[in-house]
Amino acid sequence: MNWAMTFSQHLGLQVWSTLFDLLPIVTIIIAFQVLVIRQPLKKPLQLGVGIAAVILGLALFLMGLEQALFPMGKMMAKQLTSPLLLTGSATKIPIWDDYIWVYVFAFCIGFSTTIAEPALIAVALKAHQVSAGSVSVWGLRIAVALGVAIGITLGSYRIVVGLPLEYFMMAGYILVLLQTYFSPKLIIPLAYDSGGVTTSTVTVPIVAALGLGLSEQVVGSNPLIDGFGLIAFASLFPIISVLAYAQIAHFINTHKLRSST
Amino acid sequence: MHSIVKSLSYNLYKSLRDIAPIVMVVVAFQLLVIQQPMPNVASLISGLAMVVVGLTLFIYGLNLALFPLGDSLAHAFAKKGSLFWLLTFAMALGFGTTIAEPALIAVANEAANIAAQGQLIAATPESILAYSSSLRYTVAFAVGVALVIGVLRIIKGWPLPWLIMGCYLLVVLITAVAPAEIIGIAYDSGGVTTSTITVPLVTALGIGLASSIKGRNPMLDGFGLIALASLLPILFVLIFGMVML
C-alpha cells in the first residue's frame, strides 16, 4: 500500500508540472482554430480524452525516464568503464584505447535504435521517390544507422580524450559544405532533415546519460564541459552519411548508364 | 470501444518497438561483457514499463486530439494567404510543440542538475528549475524563429543550402566567444528539439505550404524546416549562455 501511495503522490506532482508543459500547444491549437480560422471545435469529447491521455502519458514517461532510462545509461557507462574490466587490474589508470567496450556499446546503441526508427523509414521512402529509385530504402537506412553509430562512437572517444566538441563539429560542417556542393540537388533538404529526425524520444535520454556517465568516470573529465555533445554527433553524422550515400548511388547510376550506352 | 483498444494496442506495439533495441543491447552487454549482478533490476524494469505505457498514452492522445487539429490548421493557414497569420501560426506552433517535447524536458532537467553540481548555478531547487525552464524557453523560441524563417524560405523560394551555411557560419563564430560550459548543451539541443510532437506538425506545415504554392516542388521545398529547427537552437542557446553565465 505504501508503494502505491508514493507512486500516486509522485504521479500527481508530475501531472501537475506536465500541465504547464502542454498548456502552450493546447492553447495555441484551440485558439487558432476558434479565433482565426473561426471554426467550432468538432468532437469535444474526443479532444478532451486525447488531451487527458497526452498529459497522463507525458507524466508517466518522464517518471519512467528518471527511474529507468537515465540510470540505465549511467549504469552502463559506469560498469563499462570499471578499471577491472578495462585493464584487467583494479589499480592501473586506463588510457583511451582501453575503453573499447564503451565504444562498442555506443556503436551498438546508435545502430540498433536508428535502424528501427519509424521516422527514418518514412524519410527513406521519400528519398527513394525523390531520387527516382537510385537511393534504395534499405541502403539509406543502413547508411543513416551507420552514421549515428559512428557519430556516437566518435563522440564517446571525444569525451574520453577530452578534446573540444567544436573542433569535431566544425570539421563535420566543412565536410557537409563540401558534400552539399557535389551532391544531387534533390536529396539535399532530405539529408539536412535526417539529422534532426533520427534522434527519437527514447534514444535521446539514454545517449545523454551515457555521455554524462562516461564523463563522470573518466579521470580529469568535467561533465559540465565534456559530458554533453553525443546527441550533437548523432544529429550531424546522418547528414554526412545520407549525402555520401546519395553521391555514391548517383555515381554508380551514371556509371551504369554510361557503360550500357 | 473496439477502436480505442485497437489503436491503444497498436501504439503499445510501437512504443515497445522503440524501446526494444535499447533493452536488447543493454541485456546483451550485461550477459556477455559485464557478467555481474545488475543493480536495481526491479526499479529499472518498472521504470521501463512506465516509459512504455507513458509513451503509448502520449502518442495515442496526440493522434486523437492534437495532430488532426494541428494538421488541418497547418493546411488551412498554408492556403489562407494571409502572411501575417501564417507567420504568427508558425512561430506559435514551433514554440508550443517544443515546450511539450519530452526529450527536451528530460535533457534540460539533467543539464540543470549538472550545472548545479558544477556550481555554475546555485544548487537550490528554485534555481535549477529556473535554469532548465529558461533553457527550454530559449530552445522553443529558437524553433519558432526557425519556422518563421523556414516558411518565408518556402514562400520566397530561397535556396536552403545558403541558409544552412549561413547558420553554420554564425554558430562557428559565436562558439568562439561563448562560455565553454554552454557549448555541449547548445550543440545537443539541436538534435533534442525535433522529435515526437514537433516533427509531424512541422512536416504537415511544410508539405501543406509547398503544395499550395504554384510552381513549388513539395519534395524540394517542403523539407528543410526540420533542418532549420535543429540548427537555430544551437545558435540561441549559445547566446543564452553568453548572457546568463
Side-chain angles (χ1 to χ4, degrees), chain A residues 32-49:
Chain A
F32 273 89
Q33 177 82 12
V34 175
L35 298 176
V36 183
I37 300 285
R38 288 169 200 263
Q39 272 173 11
L41 292 166
K42 293 169 206 147
K43 302 181 188 164
L45 180 71
Q46 187 183 334
L47 191 67
V49 171

Side-chain angles (χ1 to χ4, degrees), chain B residues 11 16 19 22-26 68 80-81 109 127 129 161 184-185 195 197 212 215 217-218 222:
Chain B
N11 283 318
L16 281 172
I19 200 100
I22 292 174
V23 172
M24 283 191 302
V25 170
V26 168
K80 209 173 175 235
N109 286 345
S127 75
L129 185 66
I185 184 70
S195 52
I197 311 190
S212 67
N217 178 353

